[in-house]
């Protein structure tokens, strides 16, 4: 389950010399219910398509797996941290 | 004992190289290690590790650190992202993959993504733990890339 759990929070902070900069603290978790509906629907469609392709003897029938691995890719972003501190700018990106 | 050192001694034992050649190779191995190891250790921020994972342990993150100069860069990327990306790549339909391979080939990267197998992906990630890149530039910047 943990392998397909999307990020909880995305935190981006940018500060440039001579400006106030900005910070985006986005609780991605609020999008989870919407994502669940979209992904649930997409899974059903992908399963039906794969089944039809399998019955039609098509070599490629992996749309459900493709969708599953796309979710895994989204989940794998969790734990990414980037901190760049130069003379003129400071950038912080954290995905929890 | 490092893998390279073992390999050289193995070649000597098998009679593939002479003792003089082994000595030369071992000397060059030692000087390479001295040249590539930065004199300044990578500073640890946020309790991040300062070096590669110990032998046998599975790396979880790739770290990129730039320090010692005017700029400081600390990047931590989960290796799960690489694993998920490669698995996703192996599922791309053949027609789309052909186009990707053609584009990559045009850019000078002749690498067939169709050859990537799940077991290769795991082996690749496991062996990344042994990878370490150390660059010390003339202006004082140190770049360190490792997995832990």
């Amino acid at each position: 389950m943990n392998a397909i759990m999307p990020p909880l929070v995305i935190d981006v902070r940018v500060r440039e010399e001579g400006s106030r900069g900005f910070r985006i603290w986005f609780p991605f978790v609020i999008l989870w219910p919407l994502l669940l509906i979209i992904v649930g629907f997409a899974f059903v469609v992908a399963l039906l398509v794969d089944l039809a392709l399998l019955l039609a003897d098509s070599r490629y029938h992996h749309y459900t797996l493709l969708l599953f691995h796309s979710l895994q890719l989204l989940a794998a972003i969790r734990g990414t941290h980037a901190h760049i501190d130069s003379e003129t700018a400071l950038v912080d990106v954290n995905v929890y | 004992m490092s893998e390279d050192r073992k390999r050289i001694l193995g070649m000597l034992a098998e009679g593939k190289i002479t003792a003089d050649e082994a000595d030369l190779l071992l000397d060059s191995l030692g000087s390479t290690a001295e040249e590539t190891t930065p004199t300044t250790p990578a500073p640890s921020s946020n309790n991040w590790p300062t070096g590669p994972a110990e032998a046998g342990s599975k790396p979880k993150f790739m770290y990129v650190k730039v320090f010692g100069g005017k700029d400081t860069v600390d990047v931590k990327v989960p290796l799960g992202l690489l694993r998920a990306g490669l698995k996703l790549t192996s599922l791309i339909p053949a027609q789309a993959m052909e186009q990707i391979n053609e584009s990559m080939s045009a850019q000078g990267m002749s690498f067939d993504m169709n050859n990537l197998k799940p077991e290769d992906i795991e082996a690749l990630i496991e062996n990344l733990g042994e990878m370490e890149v150390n660059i010390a530039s003339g202006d004082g910047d140190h770049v360190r890339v490792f997995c832990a």
Side-chain angles (χ1 to χ4, degrees), chain A residues 60 69 76 78 80-81 83 85, chain B residues 71-74 76 78 91:
Chain A
Y60 189 84
H69 285 300
R78 277 186 305 133
T80 302
H81 297 278
H83 171 84
D85 188 0
Chain B
D71 303 337
T72 307
V73 176
D74 275 313
K76 181 174 127 180
L91 287 169

Side-chain angles (χ1 to χ4, degrees), chain B residues 110-127:
Chain B
S110 298
F111 180 72
D112 190 355
M113 301 290 256
N114 288 312
N115 292 338
L116 271 177
K117 310 249 174 334
E119 57 269 24
D120 296 337
I121 296 167
E122 286 308 316
L124 176 77
I125 290 170
E126 214 163 285
N127 286 308

Side-chain angles (χ1 to χ4, degrees), chain A residues 14-57:
Chain A
V14 178
R15 205 174 60 207
E16 277 183 291
E17 203 178 57
S19 73
R20 282 187 65 196
F22 66 90
R23 182 176 187 179
I24 300 168
W25 187 86
F26 181 70
F28 197 77
V29 69
I30 59 170
L31 289 183
W32 280 18
L34 182 69
L35 198 68
L36 190 71
I37 296 166
I38 295 168
V39 168
F41 180 71
F43 258 118
V44 174
V45 173
L47 263 172
L48 290 173
V49 170
D50 279 348
L51 195 65
L53 287 171
L54 193 67
L55 290 173
D57 214 17

Side-chain angles (χ1 to χ4, degrees), chain B residues 24-100:
Chain B
L24 200 68
L25 283 169
L26 287 170
D27 275 351
S28 66
L29 199 66
S31 61
T32 310
E34 278 165 26
E35 279 164 19
T36 53
T37 306
T39 49
T40 318
S44 172
S45 58
N46 308 324
N47 295 323
W48 291 4
T50 52
E54 285 176 22
S57 62
K58 215 172 178 182
K60 287 183 176 165
F61 293 94
M62 177 183 273
Y63 297 87
V64 180
K65 287 167 179 271
V66 181
F67 57 96
K70 290 172 187 169
D71 303 337
T72 307
V73 176
D74 275 313
V75 178
K76 181 174 127 180
V77 182
L79 286 177
L81 193 64
L82 179 68
R83 186 183 288 117
L86 288 173
K87 278 182 183 170
L88 192 67
T89 308
S90 64
L91 287 169
I92 293 173
Q95 297 95 323
M97 191 54 87
E98 274 171 27
Q99 286 184 359
I100 293 170

